[in-house]
Amino acid sequence: MTTVAVPHVPARLGRFVLRMFRPHVYVTYGLLWVLALEGSAVAASGTAWRPSAATWVRVVTVVLALLFLRMLDEQKDLAHDRVHHPDRPLVTGAITATELRGAMAAITVVVTVLNGARSAVDALLILAVLGYGLFLAVLERVSPAVRERPLLGLAATYPVQLLLGGYVYGSLVATGTVTADWRGPALLALCACVLLHFEFARKTAWEAPPGARFYSTALGPRRAAVVTAGLAAGAVGCQVLVFAPQGPLGLLPCLAVILPVQGFRRFLAAGSGGWPLPTAIGFVVATYLALVLRAVLLP
């Protein structure tokens, strides 16, 4: 067992975060996700939207929840990483499971206090997210199928992202910012399609590396590519459903679909390698950024 002096723990956690939870990726994603979902929910109701203090609480909460889940994943994947990723921090001892669990406990306290100060509903919603993450850790430990089969694993793990989106939308409803209606599920489906497009893109390739749990291994490269492109189309369909009544300007964010179309064509034409990830990353950023701008400028 590795013993670490308490004064060294913050620096070790900081190095872990910088390597395994790159702020320019995860913080940017969490920020855009919350702003896009909140802004779209408010704008869809016909109300002008501007970020508020509550918005930034939601942003901080989502980013910290993503960090909690990343720390949990590091522990869940330890056996796999010992074989296939021996340079990971938990494998090398750069961080310990005890340190990660301590940080997770601190995150739980922080998000509970932040949200409980505003609404008991908000606190319960974010605790449901963290609780589901812990449930998944147990499920993967007792179920080799969930751990080893990528599609089954995705079916089990993705609801945690839906719960996180549900936290943002539920918080808006609980505070009276929006009224719950059919547009809420449609916007959550939109965000799900955007993230799942990227998730499938990063695990779709003509040849999977040894030990990789790719969706293209289970579905075949062409079918996985069709699903990847179809998820981007689903995101566009959700936008049309919610924002078509606002006219052509309301549908401008749909133009981001050009990126997955290019990715699909390039992947099939190449016949080797993986899905061109810049197009998938660009689709996430362009869609969310355009949703934020639309919420600010319209109606």
Side-chain angles (χ1 to χ4, degrees), residues 148-155 196-197 199-208 212-231 264 267-268 275:
E148 300 298 335
R149 294 168 58 184
L151 293 176
L152 181 60
L154 180 64
L196 284 172
H197 167 75
E199 171 66 14
F200 265 81
R202 74 187 187 93
K203 294 185 178 181
T204 292
W206 290 97
E207 315 90 6
R213 301 161 181 168
F214 275 22
Y215 303 118
S216 52
T217 303
L219 295 174
R222 293 182 183 276
R223 288 182 181 177
V226 169
V227 172
T228 304
L231 287 163
F264 183 66
F267 178 78
L268 292 183
W275 185 283

Side-chain angles (χ1 to χ4, degrees), residues 140-158:
E140 291 188 19
R141 188 178 302 120
V142 301
S143 175
V146 170
R147 192 168 57 247
E148 300 298 335
R149 294 168 58 184
L151 293 176
L152 181 60
L154 180 64
T157 59
Y158 190 74

